[in-house]
Amino acid sequence: MDFDLKAVMSVLRKRLWLIVLIVAISCTAAGIVSYFFMKPVYEASTKLIINSSPDQAGFVKLDLNSVNTNISLVTTYKEIIKTPAIMDIVAKDHPEFGMTSEQLINKIKLSSVNETQVLTISIQDSSYEKAAHIVNAVFQVFQSQIPKIMKVDNVILLNQADPAKQPRPIKPDPLLNIALGFLASLMLSVGLAFLLEYMDDTVKTEADVERYLGLPTLALITQIDEQDLETNKGSLSSERKVGELSNVQVR
């Protein structure tokens, strides 16, 4: 086990330059794309509550059965909102959105917390002001049409999207993208390092000889480059000249 760990660390040290290069390029590319090329996306939302219809005295009954009924109505209202019965009117009344009912149906998101009567309508767009206007328009049309569709008026607005608000975009998240790029490139570069090491079957050191052949190294011939060779030739020539002068003096 100790040998395997040493081999792994040896490969990582050997290919460290490759790993660092790939990670640096990936993180830089992720940051550049996130900050300069990806358009910011904003999300506007409005919340409404589904209540029971008021009785003759104008009060809402809050018994357990009515609450359970209202909770089940949330699912029904989700489906009603994402239908042409609502979106056709929104698209017709607000041509400034430049969207068809099908586009609105695909763009809108509906969510609710389990066991609650609260329904959230949200829309994402590159312009927060436009997203706020759309989500408010959807709610207004839904609130006006639900009494005609369900024969009951039990939708109350909790909060409305403010078009003048300047929130931060929900995406892209540059730091998250850089972190994901770092992790992905790190795994890729480490895998590539081990792949290159696996495909490299050349013998470079005495340790490779012992590992692949199981034989001890008896001798080692070092590699001499041309500069060292020229230096050695110059030294030999100088020694020869000194030797010749010494012979002449002795004679």
Side-chain angles (χ1 to χ4, degrees):
M1 184 66 182
D2 183 54
F3 176 79
D4 293 339
L5 180 58
K6 287 183 178 180
V8 170
M9 295 304 298
S10 176
V11 173
L12 293 179
R13 285 195 299 267
K14 181 179 178 181
R15 306 288 182 178
L16 182 61
W17 65 271
L18 178 64
I19 296 174
V20 173
L21 179 62
I22 294 177
V23 170
I25 292 176
S26 299
C27 292
T28 303
I32 292 174
V33 171
S34 299
Y35 281 106
F36 299 104
F37 292 96
M38 295 183 69
K39 294 182 178 180
V41 177
Y42 300 90
E43 183 177 71
S45 62
T46 183
K47 293 182 181 293
L48 52 96
I49 186 170
I50 310 301
N51 279 325
S52 300
S53 299
D55 54 17
Q56 295 179 353
F59 295 98
V60 177
K61 297 179 180 180
L62 293 178
D63 57 84
L64 183 60
N65 291 332
S66 63
V67 171
N68 291 333
T69 300
N70 294 334
I71 292 175
S72 64
L73 278 175
V74 171
T75 303
T76 302
Y77 286 176
K78 286 182 181 180
E79 298 300 322
I80 293 176
I81 292 175
K82 301 188 72 170
T83 59
I86 302 298
M87 295 305 173
D88 282 348
I89 299 176
V90 175
K92 180 181 179 181
D93 293 347
H94 299 275
E96 68 274 12
F97 296 156
M99 301 177 66
T100 64
S101 60
E102 290 80 6
Q103 291 173 329
L104 288 170
I105 291 173
N106 294 328
K107 197 176 186 66
I108 195 170
K109 293 183 179 180
L110 304 172
S111 61
S112 61
V113 180
N114 292 335
E115 306 301 326
T116 66
Q117 301 170 236
V118 178
L119 176 62
T120 302
I121 305 174
S122 59
I123 285 181
Q124 296 180 3
D125 195 84
S126 57
S127 169
Y128 178 80
E129 182 178 1
K130 180 179 179 180
H133 284 305
I134 294 176
V135 78
N136 290 335
V138 170
F139 166 74
Q140 292 168 1
V141 172
F142 172 68
Q143 188 180 39
S144 65
Q145 293 299 313
I146 200 64
K148 303 176 183 178
I149 298 173
M150 298 291 291
K151 306 301 180 182
V152 61
D153 185 7
N154 61 345
V155 178
I156 300 174
L157 178 67
L158 291 179
N159 74 285
Q160 191 174 20
D162 183 8
K165 186 179 178 180
Q166 296 295 329
R168 296 184 61 183
I170 61 171
K171 57 183 180 181
D173 188 343
L175 295 180
L176 177 60
N177 291 342
I178 293 174
L180 293 176
F182 172 80
L183 293 177
S185 60
L186 181 62
M187 292 187 292
L188 175 64
S189 59
V190 170
L192 181 60
F194 281 101
L195 177 62
L196 293 175
E197 185 67 20
Y198 175 77
M199 296 179 64
D200 186 6
D201 56 357
T202 58
V203 177
K204 298 182 177 64
T205 64
E206 58 270 22
D208 293 338
V209 175
E210 186 174 356
R211 183 187 309 119
Y212 296 125
L213 302 180
L215 300 174
T217 303
L218 300 179
L220 180 64
I221 301 175
T222 59
Q223 183 177 359
I224 303 176
D225 56 22
E226 294 183 359
Q227 185 177 0
D228 292 337
L229 187 59
E230 293 294 334
T231 303
N232 292 333
K233 287 182 179 180
S235 300
L236 291 175
S237 299
S238 299
E239 291 176 358
R240 288 178 181 177
K241 290 180 180 180
V242 171
E244 290 176 356
L245 289 175
S246 299
N247 292 334
V248 171
Q249 290 176 358
V250 170
R251 290 178 186 178

